[in-house]
Amino acid sequence: MKLRLLVLTNLYPPHYLGGYELGCRAVVEQLRQRGHEVTVLTSIYGAGRPRVDGSVHRCLCYHPEAPVGSRTTMLLREWHDHRSLSRLMAERRPDLLYVFSLYGISQALPLTAQRAGLPAVYALSAEWLEPGFRGDPWTSLSTHPPRTGTRRVAKQILMGLLDPWLPTSREQLDLRHAYFTSAALKDRYLSKGFAVESAPVIHWGVDTERFRPRPRPEVAMPPRLLFAGRIAREKGLHTVVEALRLLREGDNLPGVSLDIVGPVQDREYMRAVEHGIAQGELGSSVRFRGPIPSEAMPELYGQHDIYVFPSIWEEPFSIGLLEAMACGLAVVGTTTGGSREVLEDEVNCLTFPPGDAQSLARQLMRLLDPQLAQRLGVQARRTVERRFGLKRMMDRVETFLRQALARQPVWSADTQGESELDR
């Protein structure tokens, strides 16, 4: 049976910041290839203004930080976004709402679908949702108690008038049809009190035909290192720079090179990294290549020998890590968060404690042994083939979507194309 799906997500390629948005696109494309009808509703990030690109509707407001403007401006933004969702629901008559990350856009949007009786599936790959919608500007405004009794009464009246058109209450999302992309992330949601005990874990997967090893009889000398990801403190790039400085001081790994690929998300942190490179006299060894199109990533992996994954935060799950492993690179990484569900020390990688540059330097030295590096690369590839292939993931996703629909009556718009916000 063909499904009609409405995907709701904050960012969507070609305008994106990290691997999760690329993962969302991969899911959408795979579902279309399997015969399903998929419409995407996302933000104007990268587009500058509302526009429609085929079946991708870029019209939601995007405010990753606290939005600047008056409460009236916030109300108008919320009205616009909920109206956009309601219109697409009426026009496309989807069977399911498929929600990915809502970081930076209104987290109350799924409530509009929930009130209309449209069942929703949540692919939870990050901690964008907090109990009671804490952190969401609109719901925080609507639930924050005023200082005086008069204002409290006035606010209750105003919110009561708005609530039929814009969700303003402490109504909770129905997460019965949620799945997680890592067990570590599910544990964090459970620790916050979300009732998701029965939610399955469906790990991200990558295309093992597109991401595959290139012929490399042994690790090049000197080895070519790759860091790929957002340039932000939690990604731990500074640990790699410090490790290279230690190796240079000891003259243990002369000529080693490091390519840094990815968008700069924290400019202050970027300046600190650049300062560390200058202090360590690593300018000739380190190259910033900026963001690279996803289409060029397989070739990029093939140009390197070692993938460094120095994340210092509880990484939900890394798609880039899977890509590098599928390409047969030797991996040196930390096992924070969901990464420990992929990496196994001395089996498919070498590991080191988060932020420990000395340990990272020692592990890089070990990879001068070409047999060790090659063995780890082969096992990394096998790990992805066995557990993290794209087809395996999509089979589970498709089954989950069908099960979610089977447990709910098929939603149909009773408004004859008229959205609730337009009445």
Side-chain angles (χ1 to χ4, degrees):
M1 179 184 69
K2 182 176 75 172
L3 298 174
R4 294 192 308 275
L5 303 169
L6 176 55
V7 168
L8 177 62
T9 186
N10 60 341
L11 307 179
Y12 193 79
H15 312 298
Y16 66 97
L17 292 173
Y20 299 142
E21 296 91 341
L22 294 173
C24 175
R25 182 178 67 179
V27 170
V28 168
E29 291 177 347
Q30 286 292 311
L31 287 169
R32 286 175 177 157
Q33 289 179 19
R34 294 177 179 222
H36 304 296
E37 179 185 312
V38 187
T39 302
V40 177
L41 176 60
T42 188
S43 74
I44 63 172
Y45 174 83
R49 57 183 178 80
R51 75 183 195 202
V52 178
D53 300 327
S55 59
V56 180
H57 295 249
R58 303 180 186 276
C59 53
L60 302 177
C61 299
Y62 181 66
H63 39 76
E65 307 298 334
V68 178
S70 66
R71 294 182 178 180
T72 301
T73 299
M74 188 185 302
L75 171 62
L76 292 175
R77 287 174 177 170
E78 201 76 14
W79 180 279
H80 168 271
D81 289 353
H82 285 262
R83 185 177 61 180
S84 298
L85 174 59
S86 293
R87 283 177 172 168
L88 271 182
M89 287 163 51
E91 292 171 5
R92 299 304 172 96
R93 298 176 179 266
D95 301 313
L96 291 169
L97 182 71
Y98 194 0
V99 183
F100 283 80
S101 175
L102 299 189
Y103 175 72
I105 63 176
S106 172
Q107 293 179 14
L109 280 168
L111 289 175
T112 289
Q114 188 168 298
R115 288 180 171 190
L118 176 61
V121 168
Y122 293 84
L124 294 172
S125 59
E127 288 185 85
W128 57 264
L129 183 61
E130 295 290 337
F133 298 100
R134 289 197 303 267
D136 181 70
W138 170 250
T139 51
S140 296
L141 173 64
S142 63
T143 57
H144 185 72
R147 294 180 180 178
T148 65
T150 303
R151 290 185 177 183
R152 187 178 302 112
V153 171
K155 183 174 182 178
Q156 288 175 349
I157 294 173
L158 176 61
M159 291 304 170
L161 293 173
L162 287 174
D163 195 65
W165 294 276
L166 290 177
T168 61
S169 66
R170 289 188 178 273
E171 185 179 347
Q172 294 298 306
L173 292 177
D174 180 359
L175 298 178
R176 285 178 296 171
H177 305 311
Y179 70 85
F180 292 86
T181 56
S182 74
L185 186 61
K186 178 180 177 178
D187 288 343
R188 291 207 288 279
Y189 272 76
L190 285 170
S191 70
K192 294 178 181 181
F194 287 99
V196 290
E197 291 85 358
S198 61
V201 173
I202 304 178
H203 290 116
W204 287 111
V206 297
D207 186 346
T208 53
E209 290 300 315
R210 181 168 171 244
F211 295 96
R212 58 186 308 112
R214 293 193 173 197
R216 57 160 69 84
E218 61 182 37
V219 174
M221 287 300 148
R224 300 161 297 184
L225 277 57
L226 174 64
F227 168 93
R230 295 179 292 108
I231 300 179
R233 179 167 296 278
E234 65 268 18
K235 290 293 187 177
L237 177 57
H238 58 280
T239 310
V240 188
V241 172
E242 176 63 13
L244 292 183
R245 184 189 67 79
L246 293 172
L247 291 169
R248 180 183 178 88
E249 286 182 353
D251 200 28
N252 290 319
L253 204 60
V256 64
S257 63
L258 169 67
D259 278 349
I260 299 171
V261 173
V264 178
Q265 195 171 42
D266 185 335
R267 297 195 177 278
E268 183 177 350
Y269 176 70
M270 174 68 169
R271 287 192 290 270
V273 170
E274 291 175 327
H275 180 69
I277 292 171
Q279 278 196 323
E281 299 180 351
L282 299 170
S284 61
S285 304
V286 180
R287 177 171 55 161
F288 288 95
R289 300 184 60 175
I292 286 182
S294 60
E295 295 74 18
M297 289 304 292
E299 181 179 357
L300 178 73
Y301 291 124
Q303 296 168 352
H304 295 84
D305 308 292
I306 299 172
Y307 186 76
V308 188
F309 184 74
S311 186
I312 62 175
W313 69 310
E314 289 296 300
E315 186 90 36
F317 202 77
S318 172
I319 298 176
L321 174 62
L322 294 183
E323 292 175 351
M325 293 174 69
C327 290
L329 273 69
V331 172
V332 183
T334 58
T335 53
T336 59
S339 304
R340 68 176 60 96
E341 297 162 40
V342 182
L343 298 178
E344 189 174 355
D345 191 37
E346 303 285 347
V347 176
N348 59 15
C349 69
L350 297 178
T351 64
F352 63 96
D356 191 336
Q358 289 187 339
S359 293
L360 172 55
R362 287 193 295 269
Q363 298 292 48
L364 290 173
M365 281 292 297
R366 291 182 61 193
L367 288 177
L368 291 178
D369 177 355
Q371 290 185 338
L372 174 61
Q374 188 173 42
R375 177 177 66 81
L376 292 175
V378 169
Q379 289 300 321
R381 168 73 183 184
R382 288 177 180 171
T383 297
V384 177
E385 288 178 327
R386 188 172 64 252
R387 298 176 53 209
F388 302 106
L390 182 60
K391 182 182 183 303
R392 173 188 171 89
M393 176 194 75
M394 287 307 305
D395 286 346
R396 296 194 64 197
V397 166
E398 190 175 31
T399 298
F400 189 78
L401 292 172
R402 293 186 187 281
Q403 289 175 341
L405 182 58
R407 296 171 190 162
Q408 295 270 3
V410 176
W411 178 83
S412 61
D414 296 325
T415 55
Q416 300 296 323
E418 177 188 28
S419 79
E420 189 170 309
L421 291 176
D422 289 329
R423 291 185 208 171

